[in-house]
Each structure stands twice: as C-alpha cells, then as structure tokens.
Amino acid sequence: MKINKTNAARLLDKDRIAYELIPYEVDENDLSAVHVAARLGEDIDCVFKTLVLHGDKNGYFVCVIPGEHEVDLKLAAKISGNKKCDLVPMKELLPLTGYIRGGCSPIGMKKLFPTYIHETCLRFPHIYISAGQRGLQLKLAPEDLIKEVCAEVCILFDE
C-alpha cells in the first residue's frame, strides 16, 4: 500500500530527519490518542497528541503531551508566559494551523508557534505524533521532534 507523504513528512525529509509513516484505521467517532495507540498496538505513553492553545499575553502556542493526559492550563499558561490560557476552539484549528482535529501535527503548521513538549517524551527511543492527517502517524525520535519545532521540554501536567 502506497502512503502519500504529508507536508510534515516532507519537512522532515528536507531536514534529513529519520522517521516512519505509520497508517492506522480511523474511527470518526473516536479520534482520541488512546484509540490511535490501541490501533497501533503501542503504549499510550509514547503516543502524543498536539494541542493548540491561546494565552492572554503571548497569543497562540502548542503543547505536545502523552495521549491519555490532559494539559494543566495553569502550568501551560505559566510556562508560556501567560496569566491564563485556553484550548483553541475547534472551528479555529484549521484556519490557524492548516490541520483538522485528529490530524494536527506539531510539524508544518501555517506558522511556527512556540511549542512545549512534556518531559516524558525523553523516556522513549521514539514517539508517535500525527503526520498531519487522520489515519497517519509519524514515528520519530523525540530529540528530532524537539529540534524540528524548536520545542521546550517541560512539565505540562501533574503526574
């Protein structure tokens, strides 16, 4: 089966970063990272989801966290230099990033937003993130993702 490369994959190619494109069967009624991990047969802790937030002082930013966790909005605000922040409404996601819910990659958004990744990513030789479309994941070394999107490694929820 031929897998069409996404913009995120082409950007990784351009920067000579090793990755694998991993397809999975999409369930339109369950776009959760937990479902993706189950489809991939992978530990949920190494399947990361991409969240786009808006802070009251510094505008938009991105948080990349393990799939079954929720971002702590107070921690995210503090780390990003804001007093408070909220998740971007679903209707704003596509015009803002170029991606839809369930297919939002931290790589290749319309604009490079400040990006924060939860520190547990460094526990794994590779992690999974969306390749930029539903049904396709990127498997890559967390250090390569950090470098590609200039991410800051931090704590985004209490464990």
Side-chain angles (χ1 to χ4, degrees):
M1 179 178 97
K2 177 155 173 36
I3 301 170
N4 290 327
K5 287 206 174 175
T6 61
N7 190 40
R10 284 189 287 277
L11 288 168
L12 291 173
D13 286 343
K14 183 172 105 16
D15 292 336
R16 293 184 166 84
I17 292 176
Y19 66 90
E20 283 180 62
L21 281 173
I22 313 288
Y24 66 94
E25 193 175 317
V26 177
D27 178 350
E28 295 292 335
N29 297 314
D30 185 358
L31 298 173
S32 72
V34 173
H35 175 76
V36 173
R39 287 282 188 217
L40 297 174
E42 287 289 345
D43 178 350
I44 184 59
D45 290 335
C46 71
V47 177
F48 282 65
K49 61 186 174 185
T50 303
L51 304 173
V52 182
L53 297 94
H54 186 264
D56 62 342
K57 291 186 176 191
N58 297 325
Y60 297 104
F61 63 99
V62 176
C63 290
V64 183
I65 64 171
E68 69 179 344
H69 290 278
E70 296 299 321
V71 68
D72 180 321
L73 294 175
K74 285 184 180 169
L75 278 175
K78 184 177 179 184
I79 286 163
S80 62
N82 292 286
K83 279 214 179 296
K84 62 181 183 174
C85 66
D86 285 300
L87 289 167
V88 168
M90 204 70 60
K91 68 180 187 298
E92 291 178 26
L93 192 62
L94 179 61
L96 181 66
T97 66
Y99 292 126
I100 59 171
R101 179 174 174 260
C104 187
S105 179
I107 301 169
M109 290 188 183
K110 289 182 175 182
K111 183 178 173 205
L112 183 60
F113 297 109
T115 302
Y116 305 90
I117 187 165
H118 191 68
E119 66 178 6
T120 56
C121 70
L122 297 174
R123 296 179 189 165
F124 303 98
H126 59 263
I127 60 172
Y128 294 84
I129 59 167
S130 175
Q133 68 184 44
R134 291 177 182 165
L136 198 58
Q137 290 282 298
L138 281 168
K139 178 182 177 181
L140 75 167
E143 297 84 1
D144 288 338
L145 174 61
I146 291 163
K147 188 173 108 186
E148 181 68 15
V149 297
C150 305
E152 182 179 321
V153 178
C154 56
I155 296 172
L156 293 164
F157 55 85
D158 289 323
E159 289 189 63

PDB file of all heavy atoms in Angstrom, residues 17 37 54 60 64 94 100 103 150:
ATOM      1  N   ILE A  17      15.713  14.273   8.667  1.00  0.00           N
ATOM      2  CA  ILE A  17      15.359  13.660   9.948  1.00  0.00           C
ATOM      3  C   ILE A  17      14.681  12.318   9.673  1.00  0.00           C
ATOM      4  O   ILE A  17      13.743  12.237   8.879  1.00  0.00           O
ATOM      5  CB  ILE A  17      14.444  14.588  10.780  1.00  0.00           C
ATOM      6  CG1 ILE A  17      15.252  15.824  11.216  1.00  0.00           C
ATOM      7  CG2 ILE A  17      13.857  13.858  11.980  1.00  0.00           C
ATOM      8  CD1 ILE A  17      14.467  16.867  11.952  1.00  0.00           C
ATOM      9  N   ALA A  37      -3.419   4.734  19.819  1.00  0.00           N
ATOM     10  CA  ALA A  37      -2.443   3.825  20.435  1.00  0.00           C
ATOM     11  C   ALA A  37      -2.918   2.373  20.347  1.00  0.00           C
ATOM     12  O   ALA A  37      -2.128   1.479  20.026  1.00  0.00           O
ATOM     13  CB  ALA A  37      -2.202   4.224  21.891  1.00  0.00           C
ATOM     14  N   HIS A  54      -4.354  29.281  23.331  1.00  0.00           N
ATOM     15  CA  HIS A  54      -4.207  30.727  23.176  1.00  0.00           C
ATOM     16  C   HIS A  54      -4.063  31.338  24.562  1.00  0.00           C
ATOM     17  O   HIS A  54      -4.907  31.118  25.443  1.00  0.00           O
ATOM     18  CB  HIS A  54      -5.423  31.317  22.464  1.00  0.00           C
ATOM     19  CG  HIS A  54      -5.250  32.767  22.154  1.00  0.00           C
ATOM     20  ND1 HIS A  54      -5.738  33.760  22.980  1.00  0.00           N
ATOM     21  CD2 HIS A  54      -4.625  33.408  21.134  1.00  0.00           C
ATOM     22  CE1 HIS A  54      -5.428  34.939  22.471  1.00  0.00           C
ATOM     23  NE2 HIS A  54      -4.755  34.753  21.352  1.00  0.00           N
ATOM     24  N   TYR A  60      -0.916  32.503  20.553  1.00  0.00           N
ATOM     25  CA  TYR A  60      -1.020  31.071  20.321  1.00  0.00           C
ATOM     26  C   TYR A  60       0.266  30.332  20.666  1.00  0.00           C
ATOM     27  O   TYR A  60       1.365  30.841  20.466  1.00  0.00           O
ATOM     28  CB  TYR A  60      -1.365  30.802  18.855  1.00  0.00           C
ATOM     29  CG  TYR A  60      -2.703  31.375  18.468  1.00  0.00           C
ATOM     30  CD1 TYR A  60      -2.790  32.538  17.704  1.00  0.00           C
ATOM     31  CD2 TYR A  60      -3.888  30.764  18.879  1.00  0.00           C
ATOM     32  CE1 TYR A  60      -4.023  33.076  17.361  1.00  0.00           C
ATOM     33  CE2 TYR A  60      -5.123  31.298  18.544  1.00  0.00           C
ATOM     34  CZ  TYR A  60      -5.180  32.447  17.780  1.00  0.00           C
ATOM     35  OH  TYR A  60      -6.390  32.977  17.455  1.00  0.00           O
ATOM     36  N   VAL A  64       2.470  19.500  23.312  1.00  0.00           N
ATOM     37  CA  VAL A  64       2.507  18.116  22.831  1.00  0.00           C
ATOM     38  C   VAL A  64       2.632  17.237  24.073  1.00  0.00           C
ATOM     39  O   VAL A  64       3.629  17.323  24.788  1.00  0.00           O
ATOM     40  CB  VAL A  64       3.688  17.903  21.860  1.00  0.00           C
ATOM     41  CG1 VAL A  64       3.683  16.483  21.312  1.00  0.00           C
ATOM     42  CG2 VAL A  64       3.645  18.924  20.715  1.00  0.00           C
ATOM     43  N   LEU A  94      -8.368  24.650  11.942  1.00  0.00           N
ATOM     44  CA  LEU A  94      -7.970  24.549  10.534  1.00  0.00           C
ATOM     45  C   LEU A  94      -7.459  25.869   9.968  1.00  0.00           C
ATOM     46  O   LEU A  94      -6.362  25.908   9.402  1.00  0.00           O
ATOM     47  CB  LEU A  94      -9.118  23.984   9.682  1.00  0.00           C
ATOM     48  CG  LEU A  94      -8.819  23.847   8.185  1.00  0.00           C
ATOM     49  CD1 LEU A  94      -7.659  22.890   7.938  1.00  0.00           C
ATOM     50  CD2 LEU A  94     -10.065  23.361   7.452  1.00  0.00           C
ATOM     51  N   ILE A 100      -6.778  19.607  10.840  1.00  0.00           N
ATOM     52  CA  ILE A 100      -8.077  19.366  11.462  1.00  0.00           C
ATOM     53  C   ILE A 100      -7.901  18.547  12.742  1.00  0.00           C
ATOM     54  O   ILE A 100      -6.852  17.934  12.951  1.00  0.00           O
ATOM     55  CB  ILE A 100      -9.040  18.611  10.505  1.00  0.00           C
ATOM     56  CG1 ILE A 100      -8.439  17.255  10.083  1.00  0.00           C
ATOM     57  CG2 ILE A 100      -9.371  19.475   9.297  1.00  0.00           C
ATOM     58  CD1 ILE A 100      -9.403  16.360   9.324  1.00  0.00           C
ATOM     59  N   GLY A 103      -5.901  15.204  13.322  1.00  0.00           N
ATOM     60  CA  GLY A 103      -4.834  15.167  12.322  1.00  0.00           C
ATOM     61  C   GLY A 103      -3.918  16.368  12.462  1.00  0.00           C
ATOM     62  O   GLY A 103      -3.327  16.825  11.485  1.00  0.00           O
ATOM     63  N   CYS A 150      11.645  23.375  17.459  1.00  0.00           N
ATOM     64  CA  CYS A 150      12.245  24.246  18.485  1.00  0.00           C
ATOM     65  C   CYS A 150      11.440  24.183  19.787  1.00  0.00           C
ATOM     66  O   CYS A 150      11.137  25.212  20.404  1.00  0.00           O
ATOM     67  CB  CYS A 150      12.354  25.685  17.997  1.00  0.00           C
ATOM     68  SG  CYS A 150      13.247  25.854  16.458  1.00  0.00           S
TER      69      CYS A 150
END
